[in-house]
Amino acid sequence: MAGELGDLRRKLDEVDDRIIEALAQRQEFVNEVAERKAASAGALRDMLREQDSLTRLVGKARDAKIDSYFVTQLFREIFDHSVRRQQGQLTARQQPAAEGTLVVGYHGIEGSYSHLAAIKHFGPRDVELACRGFNGFRDMLEAVQAGDVGCAVLPIENTTAGTINSAYDLLSKMNLALIGEEILRVEHCLLAVEQVPLGRIRRIYSHPEALTQCSEFLSRLEHCRQESFVDTAGAARKVRDEQDLAQAAIASEDAARIYGLHIIKRDLANQRENYTRFVVVAKEPVSYAAQIPCKTSLIFATRHEEGALLACLGILGTHHLNLTKLESRPRPNNPWEYLFYVDFEGNIGQEPVQKALRELSARTSFFKVLGSYPARTTSRPAEPRSGPAPREADEAPLPEERPVVSASVRELLEQKPYKLASRAQRGEDTLVHVGSVTIGGTRPVIIAGPCAVESPEQIMACAHAVKDHGGDILRGGCFKPRTSPYSFQGLGYDGLDMLAEAGQAVGLPIITEVIHPSDVERVARKSDILQIGARNMQNYALLKEVGRVDRPVLLKRGMVATIDEWLAAAEYILVQGNQQVILCERGIRTFETATRNTLDLSAVPVARELVHLPIIVDPSHACGTWRWVVPMSRAALAAGAHGVMIEIHPDPDKARSDGPQSLTFARFEELMGQLRR
Ligand code: PEP
Ligand code: MN
């Protein structure tokens, strides 16, 4: 008997060996196919051919009395693997891998589902792989940003439990690129130190998510407690370490192998088909060949316009880009507003995708492309459409597009170094919303406050004056870019706290200048608007940084900058994603010395003709003397400015900066009377 069984087992081993040989042979053919496809422009994945092959194989399996579900699953895996290899080869041809080992970050410890996803994703590639576990998502992504790991796999959604919110929130905050995705079938198993009967288990450990996914199984167990653990593999390790026969863990089959545990029961989840989707996150984006079916992910915030979300999604539709996911998350600092996360099928290297993205950015107030990457979830080939032929993307006008640009201006605009800011891109005026204040509409916005925040009392007094006399936004410098290093440099973050408190006390939004790229994120947490001063108009590192945050930016014109240079600087902010840019004319250097600068009011109608961004005038820094601030404020509004920014001080003679140009509260009251009339 034993001899017969041994014989049979040997025969089985031989068959298994032959299966491996056949797979190796198949892989060689796949490599050859990849070479051919790289030379042509044909698509890498031919879903119709895969479907035909599957039908043929299932027929053959039926004749051979093999279960067709099993055969379908098996060959889907084989086809998938082959497409991955081809993609890997194609990408490697384009961008030869850096020498050495690829270090990939994952969440948890060895054997966690994230670890398995990392191996599944990078396994088929010809690279030396080293995986590094992290306790939290943030630590892991910061390691990517710091270059400590080459990339990381981040779980983003589960077909049973839904979206993983913390992952999405980190992606919007951090500056990282998506370069891949992976789908992992999650198969929860019950693991114990020995093959003990279920009835003897008293405690089960696992990640809370896994416990939820197995709730039906767990509810049937009597006298058994469930305990949350940071990750599934960690729970398995604990069970191994403690060697207690009454304990078990819910984790993967691989965790059982790694920690030497026995599988007491498989398939514990309420839903049999349980998948987790991971994204591969890197510091820099990767570009993929056109033959590789890709997905593109982006984040945006809509403008406050009727039907804004519909218009944005409509743009994808007009360019025939298939939306595969739409998710919304609360927009930080803006209660009851949302950031939308969108995935669609398409590669950013393709012209229609680029066109759609350009149109989308003009419809949004914040816009960030996370990246294009090879798609792992494939859509079945689309049904041929019936009915009238779709319109060409080019001729389909956007729903609310109003052509307000004349032919001669349009011609002029074509030569300009800015595209997103241009009226050619967006006909209507852009409105920037700050709390309940709208900048860019018909009602002029008054920004007022001291040149610099000097003390809690000083800024609080100013806040009350601004509020009492009908101003809209409180200004106050905390980081002062002074011409002389011996002048007052501002109170820094202490000043910002005072400004924020004063704004809050009277219910006004605040604006303050930021002068260093590394301060942007922190200042943006407190200040409703970020100001870029005249001296920093061409500080491109700073412009890029404010372009990445979701906060309105007021961009002052440099004192020796042409209008085109100023608008090109605004473009630097827009291309990074932040569409909430407000221009500010504050006077330029001329031969005239009677005023501190020469207020170039013609810049107002000129800029308004060329770009769709709102424009504010600062007569205080232009005049340098308070007496001319009132008439020039009126002139600014007459010229078409969307508002003014005025310096005021409780006692201008004692001001630590720009006293001579600051209005007393009484004079500010008089100005407000004149402007509101
Ligand atoms: C300011 O508004 O505080 C300021 C420094 O102005 P500018 O950058 O226009 O000189
Ligand atoms: Mn000033």
Side-chain angles (χ1 to χ4, degrees):
M1 185 68 188
E4 266 172 47
L5 188 58
D7 240 23
L8 276 173
R9 283 187 170 155
R10 246 189 314 283
K11 282 183 186 156
L12 277 180
D13 287 347
E14 275 170 32
V15 173
D16 290 346
D17 291 350
R18 286 213 302 280
I19 292 176
I20 292 291
E21 280 161 26
L23 285 174
Q25 197 178 15
R26 193 176 195 287
Q27 186 155 307
E28 286 202 7
F29 291 139
V30 166
N31 292 350
E32 267 181 57
V33 169
E35 291 294 318
R36 299 266 159 87
K37 283 188 183 167
S40 77
L44 254 198
R45 183 152 211 173
D46 184 344
M47 296 304 293
L48 287 176
R49 172 166 156 78
E50 279 181 30
Q51 209 91 63
D52 285 349
S53 305
L54 266 183
T55 313
R56 187 179 64 82
L57 290 163
V58 165
K60 246 179 120 67
R62 207 177 294 121
D63 294 345
K65 304 223 168 358
I66 306 176
D67 177 48
S68 58
Y69 175 78
F70 164 66
V71 167
T72 307
Q73 294 295 98
L74 187 64
F75 277 92
R76 282 240 162 93
E77 272 301 311
I78 291 175
F79 294 164
D80 251 16
H81 184 265
S82 127
V83 170
R84 276 152 201 255
R85 269 206 75 89
Q86 294 181 42
Q87 286 181 355
Q89 265 172 281
L90 210 58
T91 310
R93 275 170 78 107
Q94 284 183 309
Q95 336 155 319
E99 289 291 309
T101 309
L102 175 65
V103 186
V104 178
Y106 67 90
H107 181 245
I109 61 168
E110 206 185 336
S112 71
Y113 290 108
S114 293
H115 183 223
L116 302 181
I119 291 171
K120 181 174 179 194
H121 191 81
F122 292 100
R125 307 240 183 122
D126 291 321
V127 286
E128 180 112 22
L129 186 65
C131 294
R132 214 178 113 190
F134 288 86
N135 275 333
F137 292 166
R138 180 181 278 278
D139 286 354
M140 176 173 84
L141 296 185
E142 278 171 356
V144 175
Q145 219 157 33
D148 295 342
V149 297
C151 54
V153 289
L154 177 73
I156 197 112
E157 60 178 312
N158 174 269
T159 52
T160 309
T163 294
I164 298 164
N165 290 332
S166 55
Y168 273 103
D169 293 345
L170 283 168
L171 285 179
S172 81
K173 271 188 230 130
M174 300 178 78
N175 210 21
L176 294 163
L178 302 191
I179 61 162
E181 70 170 350
E182 193 51 75
I183 309 291
L184 189 76
R185 171 131 193 246
V186 175
E187 247 176 304
H188 294 307
C189 302
L190 191 67
L191 318 180
V193 280
E194 268 175 38
Q195 204 66 47
V196 288
L198 260 184
R200 281 188 60 189
I201 306 288
R202 291 285 169 271
R203 278 179 307 285
I204 294 182
Y205 304 97
S206 195
H207 187 273
E209 199 60 60
L211 294 172
T212 312
Q213 289 169 25
C214 304
S215 60
E216 287 171 17
F217 162 75
L218 291 169
S219 70
R220 289 195 298 270
L221 296 182
E222 279 172 28
H223 317 296
C224 180
R225 223 174 49 221
Q226 309 161 26
E227 282 184 31
S228 294
F229 214 77
V230 277
D231 72 315
T232 54
R237 187 171 64 181
K238 177 184 167 73
V239 169
R240 180 210 52 195
D241 289 349
E242 295 179 1
Q243 291 292 313
D244 180 346
L245 289 182
Q247 297 194 140
I250 294 179
S252 66
E253 179 172 356
D254 292 73
R257 193 174 34 73
I258 292 166
Y259 299 104
L261 294 173
H262 290 262
I263 297 177
I264 311 186
K265 194 169 165 47
R266 289 175 185 275
D267 261 330
L268 303 183
N270 305 353
Q271 288 185 30
R272 209 181 117 72
E273 300 280 325
N274 188 23
Y275 298 90
T276 298
R277 177 174 169 241
F278 297 81
V279 285
V280 182
V281 182
K283 216 168 142 178
E284 299 293 339
V286 170
S287 55
Y288 291 95
Q291 295 108 301
I292 300 178
C294 279
K295 255 189 214 169
T296 297
S297 295
L298 53 99
I299 304 177
F300 65 81
T302 55
R303 293 174 187 269
H304 288 250
E305 289 166 1
E306 209 175 298
L309 178 60
L310 200 62
C312 287
L313 299 181
I315 290 169
L316 296 179
T318 18
H319 291 280
H320 311 302
L321 298 170
N322 185 29
L323 181 79
T324 56
K325 183 166 167 72
L326 173 63
E327 186 71 46
S328 72
R329 293 285 306 142
R331 188 177 184 192
N333 307 312
N334 295 276
W336 316 116
E337 288 186 29
Y338 301 90
L339 281 177
F340 295 100
Y341 293 77
V342 161
D343 294 344
F344 63 87
E345 288 173 351
N347 185 334
I348 199 163
Q350 298 162 334
E351 182 54 28
V353 174
Q354 286 171 10
K355 245 176 132 178
L357 293 180
R358 274 198 301 274
E359 286 174 25
L360 258 173
S361 66
R363 296 279 127 197
T364 52
S365 61
F366 180 76
F367 181 80
K368 180 164 158 180
V369 177
L370 293 172
S372 288
Y373 47 86
R376 285 287 187 256
T377 51
T378 48
S379 61
R380 302 287 142 205
E383 293 293 324
R385 295 186 206 217
S386 53
R391 278 197 292 183
E392 276 302 305
D394 286 4
E395 49 165 299
L398 292 174
E400 72 270 43
E401 196 165 51
R402 275 173 275 134
V404 295
V405 181
S406 69
S408 58
V409 173
R410 194 170 278 274
E411 209 167 288
L412 179 69
L413 285 172
E414 267 161 30
Q415 321 298 324
K416 296 297 186 189
Y418 37 87
K419 304 273 171 267
L420 296 171
S422 170
R423 283 275 183 198
Q425 166 85 354
R426 187 179 154 85
E428 62 268 51
D429 289 346
T430 281
L431 304 178
V432 174
H433 298 270
V434 186
S436 58
V437 181
T438 301
I439 306 169
T442 48
R443 184 181 172 279
V445 168
I446 314 298
I447 306 172
C451 178
V453 175
E454 297 171 3
S455 68
E457 297 75 28
Q458 174 246 20
I459 189 65
M460 195 60 84
C462 289
H464 281 286
V466 176
K467 181 73 183 183
D468 292 349
H469 303 314
D472 301 293
I473 297 169
L474 176 67
R475 67 153 280 156
C478 306
F479 299 91
K480 298 302 299 176
R482 302 303 298 277
T483 306
S484 160
Y486 304 115
S487 302
F488 175 51
Q489 305 285 310
L491 298 179
Y493 286 109
D494 290 338
L496 182 53
D497 286 342
M498 295 171 201
L499 177 66
E501 214 163 290
Q504 226 146 45
V506 298
L508 289 179
I510 58 170
I511 174 171
T512 199
E513 181 169 350
V514 57
I515 58 178
H516 200 279
S518 64
D519 286 325
V520 168
E521 224 191 284
R522 185 162 167 202
V523 173
R525 265 182 255 142
K526 286 242 160 137
S527 184
D528 301 285
I529 308 178
L530 302 174
Q531 177 174 323
I532 301 293
R535 289 160 192 79
N536 273 315
M537 189 203 84
Q538 283 177 315
N539 180 341
Y540 297 115
L542 186 60
L543 296 179
K544 283 183 186 169
E545 210 52 44
V546 296
R548 289 183 190 129
V549 295
D550 185 12
R551 276 289 195 204
V553 176
L554 181 132
L555 176 65
K556 286 201 161 191
R557 179 176 176 189
M559 54 191 96
V560 289
T562 64
I563 293 175
D564 272 349
E565 285 164 346
W566 178 32
L567 302 180
E571 188 80 4
Y572 260 90
I573 302 171
L574 299 174
V575 286
Q576 294 299 321
N578 192 348
Q579 307 297 305
Q580 307 152 93
V581 176
I582 306 153
L583 300 167
C584 179
E585 161 63 40
R586 47 77 72 201
I588 50 174
R589 267 294 152 78
T590 66
F591 54 82
E592 183 53 72
T593 54
T595 49
R596 184 176 174 186
N597 292 283
T598 300
L599 186 59
D600 181 13
L601 277 187
S602 51
V604 175
V606 172
R608 286 201 60 180
E609 185 172 88
L610 297 172
V611 301
H612 54 78
L613 305 171
I615 174 166
I616 297 283
V617 166
D618 169 357
S620 303
H621 289 88
C623 299
T625 301
W626 67 266
R627 293 194 308 283
W628 308 315
V629 167
V630 177
M632 293 319 285
S633 297
R634 295 170 57 185
L637 297 190
H642 295 106
V644 290
M645 180 155 83
I646 310 290
E647 283 188 348
I648 64 171
H649 197 282
D651 187 355
D653 289 342
K654 297 216 175 76
R656 297 189 70 182
S657 61
D658 286 351
Q661 70 195 33
S662 300
L663 301 186
T664 59
F665 294 167
R667 287 179 184 129
F668 176 62
E669 182 177 8
E670 194 193 317
L671 168 74
M672 289 302 290
Q674 292 195 24
L675 293 185
R676 287 294 181 225
R677 244 180 277 136

